[in-house]
Amino acid sequence: MAQPTDTNPTEGVLYIVSTPIGNLEDITLRALRTLKEVDLIAAEDTRHTRRLLVHYEIDTPTTSYFEGNQIQKGERLVARLKTGESIALVSDAGTPTISDPGYRLLIQCIDADIAIIPIPGPSACIAAASIAGLPLHNFVFEGFLSPKSGRRKRQLAELSEEKRTLIFYESPHRIVVFLQDVLDVFGDRQVSVARELTKKFEEVLRGTVTEAIQKFQETSPRGEFTIVIEGFLSRKE
Ligand code: SAM
């Protein structure tokens, strides 16, 4: 596989490979080639990644790399990289390390002087931001806030005067309480709630936080959600 000229040829490369967030067509040619050519794919959930690999007729061996085994597994992956093998890290969807496992492996590879190459592609955060209709010259990606309301409200309070557009991930069963906390702490701002992007039931709700709460109280929220919220005073400037 082609490598940058500064890569030590006796050592392998860790590729951070973005995969689809729903629609299997959302994968780059380079990602497919990398997944085919590496010696090993380290996947958050090997059964989940298997569907993608079967779809593209890729038979590269897989191994699991997830929150619970990342320390010991990371050491084993680094040892293999040191022998010259190349490894692709993938998560269940989107870009590994973005609210997903991978950070520790990166640190272990950086410490071991192993080359790391990104294979960019989908991320729910960027996909949701790109269609939100809110200012995006800069923005703040917060990922998941705490599942506990008290802590979540404190986290929101720390962001209440943030002028940049804010992006959050949230699970379907907490979306209403999350939006209620947003209303309490931020007031009734503009919001864009993106559901099931790139999938069959893709839907985007743009409006006020109150309107979003109303909608999700009427129809029980299902699927995956990314929430984009206008920054403090963003419309008044
Ligand atoms: N690393 C992934 C990425 O780059 O998109 C994010 C992983 S995080 C564990 C998963 C969260 O991303 C979901 O709970 C949801 O908030 C958001 N998400 C993932 N897929 C989505 C989709 N198709 N539509 C909207 N949000 C999505």
Side-chain angles (χ1 to χ4, degrees):
M1 151 161 280
Q3 292 178 0
T5 47
D6 59 350
T7 302
N8 181 346
T10 62
E11 288 185 1
V13 176
L14 175 70
Y15 294 90
I16 304 297
V17 181
S18 300
T19 59
I21 59 167
N23 190 320
L24 290 185
E25 290 182 12
D26 291 332
I27 186 155
T28 68
L29 297 173
R30 189 169 172 229
L32 290 175
R33 182 170 59 77
T34 302
L35 293 175
K36 268 188 196 132
E37 292 181 4
V38 289
D39 298 292
L40 182 67
I41 297 171
E44 187 181 4
D45 178 343
T46 52
R47 283 165 307 173
H48 185 96
T49 297
R50 178 72 38 216
R51 286 198 285 275
L52 177 75
L53 300 181
V54 166
H55 184 82
Y56 286 106
E57 298 177 357
I58 295 170
D59 56 11
T60 307
T62 58
T63 189
S64 66
Y65 180 83
F66 56 92
E67 203 76 26
N69 75 354
Q70 51 187 338
I71 306 264
Q72 305 89 322
K73 200 51 174 281
E75 285 167 9
R76 273 184 261 154
L77 295 177
V78 168
R80 290 183 71 160
L81 287 159
K82 280 273 175 200
T83 68
E85 290 191 353
S86 286
I87 298 177
L89 178 71
V90 299
S91 58
D92 285 352
T95 302
T97 76
I98 308 293
S99 297
D100 262 341
Y103 167 72
R104 282 175 196 276
L105 181 60
L106 253 78
I107 297 300
Q108 286 169 314
C109 286
I110 291 165
D111 288 348
D113 219 13
I114 287 163
I116 304 164
I117 295 181
I119 309 293
S123 182
C125 149
I126 300 298
S130 72
I131 52 154
L134 290 166
L136 283 177
H137 291 296
N138 47 33
F139 59 86
V140 177
F141 171 62
E142 281 291 320
F144 293 98
L145 295 189
S146 172
K148 297 188 179 145
S149 182
R151 169 120 182 80
R152 187 167 58 235
K153 277 191 169 169
R154 285 195 294 280
Q155 290 174 318
L156 288 168
E158 282 171 21
L159 295 165
S160 62
E161 294 192 3
E162 172 56 65
K163 291 183 178 170
R164 292 170 289 186
T165 293
L166 299 141
I167 306 172
F168 301 89
Y169 289 156
E170 190 50 280
S171 73
H173 66 274
R174 270 195 298 271
I175 189 89
V176 171
V177 287
F178 170 85
L179 289 169
Q180 269 161 347
D181 286 348
V182 168
L183 184 62
D184 287 351
V185 179
F186 286 1
D188 207 7
R189 295 191 191 174
Q190 289 295 309
V191 65
S192 171
V193 183
R195 181 173 91 90
E196 294 285 89
L197 289 174
T198 80
K199 302 186 200 176
K200 187 172 177 192
F201 297 106
E202 175 175 301
E203 187 180 33
V204 182
L205 175 82
R206 298 183 192 85
T208 61
V209 178
T210 305
E211 286 164 348
I213 293 171
Q214 217 171 342
K215 146 101 187 174
F216 294 119
Q217 277 172 337
E218 283 162 12
T219 55
S220 69
R222 293 223 179 108
E224 302 206 85
F225 288 85
T226 299
I227 303 105
V228 187
I229 303 175
E230 75 173 326
F232 182 58
L233 300 176
S234 81
R235 300 214 160 204
K236 299 190 181 100
E237 288 185 335

